[in-house]
Amino acid sequence: LSSRFPFYYEVKVAFVLWLLSPHTRGATLLYRRLLHPALARREKDIDAFLLRARERGYQTVLRFGRRGLNLAATAAVQAATKSQGALAGRLRSFSVQDLRSLPDQ
């Protein structure tokens, strides 16, 4: 890009200094003359877009929250089922005499 435009970097630095300088107030001037009128013309469209984005974000959080809760509930039920089966198998391995010899707590 700098080969096509002589003094490209120098002009770029001068532009940034103009934007930042409190004496020229370039950024304020640029905002008030160009950016603010463009944003003001499109304000309703921007507000509608932000509202749709917020609603979609809310729906997405709800959808992922439901999925997460369903996965957690399924994992808890599976873990409980597996541990119950292991506990029952462990208890079956004891004889009645073994169970009587356990200290009462």
Side-chain angles (χ1 to χ4, degrees), residues 13-32:
V13 168
F15 178 69
V16 170
L17 289 175
W18 176 77
L19 286 173
L20 296 175
S21 173
H23 298 291
T24 61
R25 296 173 38 171
T28 302
L29 181 69
L30 193 64
Y31 176 79
R32 288 188 180 171

Side-chain angles (χ1 to χ4, degrees), residues 41 71 93 95:
R41 282 192 304 270
L71 286 173
S93 69
S95 66

Side-chain angles (χ1 to χ4, degrees), residues 1-11:
L1 189 63
S2 64
S3 63
R4 291 185 187 174
F5 301 107
F7 303 109
Y8 169 76
Y9 292 108
E10 290 82 1
V11 171

Side-chain angles (χ1 to χ4, degrees), residues 50-64:
L50 290 175
L51 184 62
R52 285 193 309 270
R54 183 184 310 151
E55 289 172 359
R56 276 187 268 150
Y58 180 72
Q59 294 300 324
T60 301
V61 167
L62 285 179
R63 187 174 68 241
F64 282 122

